[in-house]
Amino acid sequence: MRIAVLPGDGIGPEVIGAAVEVLKHVAPDLETVHGDVGLECFSRRGEYLPDETLDLIRESDAVLFGAITTPLKAEGYRSPILRIRKEFDLYANLRPVRNPAPGIGLVDMDVIIVRENTEGMYTGEETVDDEGVDLKRRVSRAASERICRFAREISESQSRKSVTCVHKANVLRKSDGLFRDVFYEVMEESVIESRDMIVDAAAAALVSNPQCMDVIVTLNLYGDILSDEAAALAGGLGIAPSANLGDGHALFEPVHGSAPDIAGKGVANPTASFLTTAMMLEHIGRTEEAGRIRRAVTATLSAGHRTRDLGGGLGTKEFSEQVLSRL
Ligand code: ATP
């Protein structure tokens, strides 16, 4: 099997470099091929996402992605990650959020957020006139159906307790109303409990009563915001993994960005990229190796080894060495 490795910018190469070492350790048989992407790639080659990188993704079984810095002058800039999501129809954004070890995070939670990745508020179709800007917001039956189906399958395969559809159908009656109706249609014969919640109530519940939340399925913008909120509550951006999944391709990335403020200092927390690697391994059927990585990360954190974002003093390299020694 072949893994495309796209480290990108900022702390991307630091945390993905550490993740590849871990990957090589647990699954030495996997072929890893590095590809170019991002702002640094643009400064060298004049393009953010070269065709050869797209070909590499096409020919790989999974993609391990770091982060990209958005240029200050974003005129004409098209986000490579949005382009990849569109090109390969990666319609589901999957973000499991749980505390990586006891005592880390502000509240305890074990939540899976399934976010619709292709439409909603992120159509990018903005029209400017003299008075302001119009934005096209799209909610289609087909996209709602496939994301709700995806959430149902994840919940059933992992024997979760409930799926909550998060929306704002009290105001956006037709569009979010359609999403909620499709959700109940899809869940009709499932053994998993299904319910729905208004997005503002869901945001509050994640803080005040996170144990009532299990799997959440939601529209693009709400999922974007709720998943960062949940990650912050469970230990911060340094610990949060994610996947972008379609029917034929899969891209795995830490939730955090390129963190220019700490890039090159060797202090980034690689936990998110280790847990991202575990998600990727699970996706390609290497469940045993995925479990080994997760257990090594938990054991390392439980033994008190922490990077600076979690109140410790270790750098990326020292923390990674602790994880590797446990593997
Ligand atoms: P970008 O524009 O690429 O999204 P950003 O700095 O706006 O970058 P993030 O990269 O997500 O957004 O970073 C937000 C904050 O979290 C920054 O202060 C950053 O240093 C911190 N942070 C993000 N990831 C990590 C990490 N892996 N380890 C430690 N701190 C991190």
Side-chain angles (χ1 to χ4, degrees):
M1 280 202 154
R2 175 186 290 170
I3 309 299
V5 179
L6 312 183
D9 300 314
I11 61 169
E14 298 170 47
V15 296
I16 293 298
V20 169
E21 255 189 89
V22 162
L23 180 66
K24 295 259 178 228
H25 191 87
V26 298
D29 57 301
L30 295 179
E31 183 193 3
T32 52
V33 184
H34 280 65
D36 228 357
V37 72
L39 187 59
E40 213 261 315
C41 166
F42 178 79
S43 66
R44 273 185 286 107
R45 310 172 54 152
E47 46 188 345
Y48 292 95
L49 180 59
D51 284 345
E52 69 185 44
T53 303
L54 288 170
D55 290 341
L56 172 64
I57 298 175
R58 211 164 278 124
E59 290 154 11
S60 299
D61 296 283
V63 181
L64 187 57
F65 189 91
I68 282 177
T69 303
T70 308
L72 286 176
K73 281 193 187 146
E75 202 106 325
Y77 169 78
R78 222 175 128 207
S79 155
I81 194 76
L82 291 185
R83 222 183 120 195
I84 293 171
R85 281 180 190 164
K86 198 160 189 148
E87 182 91 19
F88 296 99
D89 199 19
L90 306 177
Y91 63 85
N93 189 236
L94 180 63
R95 296 193 181 187
V97 187
R98 66 178 78 91
N99 314 67
I104 290 188
L106 300 169
V107 295
D108 290 339
M109 66 167 72
D110 180 3
V111 173
I112 296 178
I113 299 179
V114 178
R115 162 185 165 196
E116 204 289 317
N117 225 2
T118 64
E119 50 179 39
M121 207 77 118
Y122 291 63
T123 55
E125 291 179 41
E126 292 183 309
T127 332
V128 182
D129 60 32
D130 292 343
E131 306 294 319
V133 183
D134 285 325
L135 163 70
K136 181 175 166 191
R137 179 176 182 276
R138 174 84 184 154
V139 179
S140 72
R141 171 168 276 278
S144 304
E145 203 173 305
R146 72 177 175 175
I147 198 70
C148 291
R149 242 176 240 297
F150 179 91
R152 175 182 164 166
E153 277 159 25
I154 287 270
S155 311
E156 289 175 351
S157 67
Q158 298 193 18
S159 306
R160 306 291 295 210
K161 285 194 300 290
S162 68
V163 190
T164 305
C165 168
V166 171
H167 58 81
K168 188 76 185 173
N170 54 335
V171 177
L172 304 168
R173 289 177 185 273
K174 294 214 169 79
S175 52
D176 283 24
L178 172 66
F179 188 78
R180 186 190 50 194
D181 290 349
V182 168
F183 166 74
Y184 281 118
E185 280 166 33
V186 166
M187 293 301 293
E188 205 170 54
E189 277 162 29
S190 176
V191 290
I192 311 280
E193 182 198 342
S194 42
R195 57 201 186 131
D196 68 280
M197 219 184 237
I198 306 287
V199 62
D200 33 348
L206 278 174
V207 178
S208 59
N209 189 14
Q211 282 78 26
C212 80
M213 293 296 208
D214 194 0
V215 177
I216 291 172
V217 62
T218 190
L219 295 126
N220 213 337
L221 176 68
Y222 313 142
D224 194 0
I225 297 170
L226 291 182
S227 54
D228 271 29
E229 181 199 359
L233 290 167
L237 285 173
I239 60 105
S242 80
N244 294 280
L245 304 170
D247 292 332
H249 294 274
L251 180 146
F252 299 80
E253 57 172 337
V255 167
H256 62 73
S258 66
D261 55 334
I262 57 165
K265 297 186 176 152
V267 297
N269 186 353
T271 300
S273 65
F274 293 160
L275 297 176
T276 297
T277 305
M279 271 183 99
M280 182 186 76
L281 283 165
E282 200 155 55
H283 181 80
I284 60 169
R286 307 289 288 262
T287 320
E288 203 265 327
E289 290 91 334
R292 284 183 61 204
I293 294 179
R294 291 194 181 111
R295 284 194 297 278
V297 167
T298 302
T300 303
L301 291 167
S302 299
H305 302 291
R306 310 267 164 99
T307 44
R308 289 207 317 212
D309 55 314
L310 295 179
L314 297 188
T316 313
K317 195 164 180 302
E318 293 79 33
F319 183 82
S320 303
E321 277 163 7
Q322 289 294 335
V323 173
L324 281 166
S325 74
R326 281 164 180 83
L327 283 170

